[in-house]
């Protein structure tokens, strides 16, 4: 397949290459938003709807929404079913099957509720905005707003510009090494 880079992504979507692109990783709807003590959103749908509303109003940023890869396995309502068909031109649903590393290289940052994508993006030097508490929210690898209001305010601003990516990347790589590695004794 042809390699996806930022120029090709922007060409396909009709977006300016220089505009900021933020990808939003959406969890599976039935997962457990409160398993880490989350408190800013009722559930993932509440978070998604609030995030999409800010994205619609924030027209200087170009938004990609990515469904969880397990969504197709479990059936039921899918992200494409609930995203409105008359989306603004600066918002798109990311097509299934694209290479995740290529998508990561094309974008300026990621928004996730508390997904593993945040750790992966941070380890590759990309800014991360978390919606709520999770398993790494307080480890210095992502911007973590401490309330719903703080998250929604950050989402509409260039939050990715205020991060020390050298430090967040260093921390994320240490965490990823511990989290994903298989020690020799195993």
């Amino acid at each position: 397949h042809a390699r996806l880079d930022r120029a090709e992504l922007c060409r396909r979507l009709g977006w300016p290459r220089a505009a900021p692109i933020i990808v939003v990783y959406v969890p599976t709807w039935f997962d457990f938003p409160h398993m880490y003590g989350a408190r800013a959103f009722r559930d993932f749908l509440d978070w998604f709807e609030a995030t999409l509303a800010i994205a619609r109003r924030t027209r200087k940023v170009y938004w990609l929404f990515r469904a969880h890869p397990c969504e197709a396995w479990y059936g039921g309502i899918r992200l494409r079913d609930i995203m409105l068909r008359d989306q603004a031109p600066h918002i798109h649903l990311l097509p299934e099957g694209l290479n995740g590393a290529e998508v990561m290289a094309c974008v300026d940052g990621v928004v996730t509720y508390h997904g593993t994508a945040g750790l992966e993006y941070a380890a590759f030097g990309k800014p991360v905005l978390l919606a709520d508490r999770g398993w790494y929210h307080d480890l210095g690898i992502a911007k973590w707003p401490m309330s719903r209001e703080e998250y929604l305010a950050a989402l509409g601003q260039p939050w990715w510009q205020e991060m020390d990516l050298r430090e967040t990347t260093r921390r994320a790589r240490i965490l990823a090494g511990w989290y994903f590695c298989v020690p020799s004794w195993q």
Side-chain angles (χ1 to χ4, degrees):
H1 81 91
R3 184 161 163 77
L4 181 71
D5 61 13
R6 188 177 182 106
E8 175 60 16
L9 177 68
C10 291
R11 187 195 64 75
R12 286 185 194 179
L13 300 176
W15 289 353
R17 277 180 61 181
I21 301 173
I22 300 296
V23 64
V24 179
Y25 273 61
V26 179
T28 54
W29 305 114
F30 60 83
D31 212 341
F32 303 95
H34 302 291
M35 67 191 266
Y36 298 111
R39 58 184 177 250
F41 296 91
R42 178 188 68 238
D43 54 30
F44 291 138
L45 181 60
D46 178 34
W47 165 75
F48 167 75
E49 289 173 339
T51 300
L52 184 59
I54 297 294
R56 281 192 188 116
R57 291 194 305 260
T58 311
R59 295 185 175 276
K60 291 183 180 180
V61 175
Y62 289 76
W63 302 87
L64 292 170
F65 283 78
R66 185 168 190 153
H68 193 284
C70 293
E71 184 181 80
W73 297 347
Y74 294 114
I77 295 175
R78 297 175 73 163
L79 180 60
R80 68 175 182 225
D81 299 330
I82 61 174
M83 284 195 66
L84 300 176
R85 300 209 187 282
D86 61 349
Q87 248 356 302
H90 69 289
I91 298 173
H92 279 277
L93 177 63
L94 203 59
E96 293 177 17
L98 291 180
N99 179 299
E102 291 175 0
V103 170
M104 186 187 308
C106 292
V107 303
D108 296 294
V110 67
V111 175
T112 180
Y113 197 86
H114 55 224
T116 306
L119 174 56
E120 295 164 353
Y121 272 69
F124 282 94
K126 296 288 182 165
V128 177
L129 176 64
L130 299 175
D132 212 332
R133 298 169 58 106
W135 55 282
Y136 59 83
H137 67 279
D138 57 352
L139 298 179
I141 68 168
K143 180 171 179 64
W144 172 48
M146 299 181 75
S147 70
R148 178 188 189 105
E149 295 74 24
E150 206 176 302
Y151 166 76
L152 295 174
L155 195 58
Q157 302 298 319
W159 56 267
W160 58 92
Q161 294 175 350
E162 41 185 79
M163 298 184 69
D164 178 356
L165 292 181
R166 186 174 178 178
E167 182 58 19
T168 58
T169 302
R170 185 187 73 76
R171 288 172 179 257
R173 287 179 177 174
I174 292 169
L175 177 58
W178 282 103
Y179 185 74
F180 293 117
C181 78
V182 178
S184 61
W185 56 269
Q186 290 185 336

